């Protein structure tokens, strides 16, 4: 990063990859979110001020440039008499409790190499975003590297609701996933799509990295699927439509997701699907990769057979996801173990229960093709009769 204005310094200084001069794979679209931009993005996309009389639109308009917004960045405090829209819930003190017991300060070469060391902040010793910038609310869940809380930004920031995700640096280093985290941050912070969870910014202290994420009001899709067993055709079709649109956006940016599965999907406040995890994403323009990754049930034949793979892996996963939504389990699952699942994937042993109608069968079959190039393109998925049938007229 060559020039930064004072308000962007904190974000710039803590940007995990910014002080990595030897970063072997700088991304073409890694424009850093400046502090001003973070505020703008919060204003545009984050859940609204719970006390505001008129909340801003929650549905982002991807075509409208940020600069064209007319909303002030720091509006007047909302009248206290107005009815709360969204409460953040009661804080359980978990962040402090956990921080006492968990993780260690990451120092020295590892921290410097990762630029995760807070001593790296030399330009501006008072970072704009710290844990004190937020009123902490209820716990939203526990992840592999730390907890996630519902939070509200405190004055002088305009109050917005977010999900704050904590990650323990020492555990990231221990698991050797620093690069994966950096990649997740680099990718996610540059994406703007209504069905992709926004990453507004991040900051860190000596032990933790904090990700400021869009709050997915209706939680995990996986929980919904477990609760209902399967989804109706209408609901499945709406989700697949949104997934196809989001994947199409990602592929247009040369990003392959590679880990599409219900566990990585969240549901927004208006019931819309949100891709929420970029841990396995790869930014690979014209680049075919051979790393085996992802969950076995969602892996395409070319990956289980350890062949080179490209963006078509996401089309396969979309077919598996659609099957799981409608039927309640992934198509090649084999309870006898991974080896059998592997064989079923490689042979494309696809069977449908009798209740699955012709249109969804057709779409799934066209996505679950052994040959990657034969899989139905996202453009064609978006105009498939089963997708069009359930798409609202105004969508
Ligand atoms: P993760 O570390 O991403 O696995 O998150 C742990 C849990 O926190 C998830 O299973 C969700 O229940 C919850 N969670 C994570 N991110 C969000 C979010 N942006 N909005 C709402 N809940 C979230």
């Amino acid at each position: 990063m060559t020039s930064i204005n004072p308000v962007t310094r904190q974000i710039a200084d803590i940007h995990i990859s910014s002080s990595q001069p030897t970063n072997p794979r700088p991304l073409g679209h890694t424009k850093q979110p400046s502090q001003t931009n973070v505020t703008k993005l919060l204003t545009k996309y984050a859940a609204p001020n719970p006390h505001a009389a008129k909340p801003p639109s929650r549905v982002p308009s991807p075509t409208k440039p940020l600069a064209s917004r007319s909303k002030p960045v720091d509006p007047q405090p909302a009248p206290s008499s107005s009815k709360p829209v969204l409460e953040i819930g009661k804080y359980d003190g978990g962040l402090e409790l956990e921080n006492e017991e968990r993780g260690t300060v990451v120092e020295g070469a590892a921290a410097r190499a990762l630029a995760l060391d807070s001593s790296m902040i030399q330009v501006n010793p008072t970072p704009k975003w710290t844990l004190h910038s937020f009123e902490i609310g209820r716990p939203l869940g526990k992840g592999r590297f730390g907890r996630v809380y519902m939070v509200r930004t405190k004055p002088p920031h305009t109050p917005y609701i977010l999900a704050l995700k904590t990650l323990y640096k020492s555990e990231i280093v221990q698991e050797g996933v620093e690069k994966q985290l950096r990649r997740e941050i680099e990718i996610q912070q540059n994406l703007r799509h209504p069905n992709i969870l926004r990453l507004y910014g991040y900051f860190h202290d000596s032990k933790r990295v904090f990700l400021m994420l869009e709050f997915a009001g209706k939680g995990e899709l996986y929980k919904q699927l477990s609760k209902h067993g399967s989804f109706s055709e209408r609901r499945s079709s709406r989700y697949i439509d949104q997934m196809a649109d989001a994947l199409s956006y990602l592929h247009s940016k040369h990003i392959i997701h590679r880990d599409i599965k219900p566990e990585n999907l969240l549901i927004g406040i208006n019931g819309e699907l949100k891709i929420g995890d970029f841990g396995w994403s790869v930014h690979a323009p014209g680049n075919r990769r051979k790393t085996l990754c992802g969950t076995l049930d969602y892996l395409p034949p070319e990956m289980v057979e350890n062949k080179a793979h490209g963006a078509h892996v996401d089309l396969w996963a979309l077919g598996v996801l659609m099957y799981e939504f409608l039927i309640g389990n992934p198509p090649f699952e084999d309870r006898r173990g991974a080896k059998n699942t592997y064989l079923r994937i490689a042979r494309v042993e696809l069977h449908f229960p009798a209740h699955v109608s012709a249109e969804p069968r057709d779409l799934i079959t066209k996505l679950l093709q052994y040959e990657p190039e034969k899989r139905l393109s996202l453009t064609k998925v978006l105009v498939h009769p089963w997708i069009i049938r359930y798409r609202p007229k105004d969508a």
Side-chain angles (χ1 to χ4, degrees), residues 232-263:
S232 67
E233 279 206 20
R234 176 179 301 278
R235 188 167 178 184
S236 303
S237 172
R238 294 304 306 124
Y239 285 157
I240 296 300
D241 191 5
Q242 293 166 21
M243 271 303 296
D245 201 51
L247 286 175
S248 179
Y249 170 82
L250 289 177
H251 290 183
S252 76
K253 292 191 165 295
H254 308 287
I255 294 164
I256 314 169
H257 190 282
R258 300 202 301 177
D259 199 20
I260 299 294
K261 56 180 176 179
E263 292 89 327

Side-chain angles (χ1 to χ4, degrees), residues 77-93:
S80 56
S81 59
S82 60
K83 213 172 162 230
V85 177
L86 205 56
E87 288 300 337
I88 59 169
K90 199 169 175 308
Y91 179 45
D92 62 2

Side-chain angles (χ1 to χ4, degrees), residues 140-144 148 163 165 197 213-216 220 266:
L140 292 170
K142 284 183 189 167
R144 192 164 149 213
V148 185
K165 184 169 176 172
L197 198 77
L213 292 162
E214 176 183 1
F215 170 60
E220 289 170 276
L266 292 163

Side-chain angles (χ1 to χ4, degrees), residues 99 102 232 264 311:
N99 202 35
R102 190 168 172 177
S232 67
N264 288 342

